[in-house]
Amino acid sequence: MLLPTSAGATLYLTDKVVNKNIVTSAAKTISERSGQRKRQRVATRDAVVAAALALFSRRGFDGTALPAVAAASGVPGPLIIYHFKT
């Protein structure tokens, strides 16, 4: 359930409401959640790029396959494809 606040932010409600104006610490504003997701996306892309560049410098572009980049970056292959469509 979403609850608008007087500051204009929206809170996710949990099952524990302290009073009508205060929600437990587990609730986060939508902007906080989207900020965390964006930071995670950027960190994932950075890890993949760093691993790929290191492999490209050692093996060359044609000698580097997606599974090698996935193993070196710690990011699953399908997630790499999601971040880098082409």
Side-chain angles (χ1 to χ4, degrees):
M1 180 174 174
L2 297 176
L3 174 71
T5 64
S6 60
T10 302
L11 297 175
Y12 287 98
L13 291 180
T14 62
D15 58 346
K16 215 174 178 185
V17 176
V18 177
N19 67 36
K20 68 180 182 178
N21 295 322
I22 300 173
V23 180
T24 63
S25 62
K28 294 185 177 183
T29 65
I30 291 174
S31 62
E32 287 174 344
R33 287 181 183 221
S34 64
Q36 289 173 346
R37 282 190 222 117
K38 184 174 182 175
R39 284 190 298 275
Q40 184 61 38
R41 278 192 307 270
V42 169
T44 299
R45 286 182 63 92
D46 288 349
V48 171
V49 168
L53 289 175
L55 289 170
F56 294 159
S57 68
R58 282 192 304 237
R59 301 178 181 178
F61 181 79
D62 290 332
T64 304
L66 178 65
V69 175
S73 66
V75 177
L79 191 55
I80 293 173
I81 294 169
Y82 172 80
H83 283 285
F84 302 92
K85 306 265 189 274
T86 57

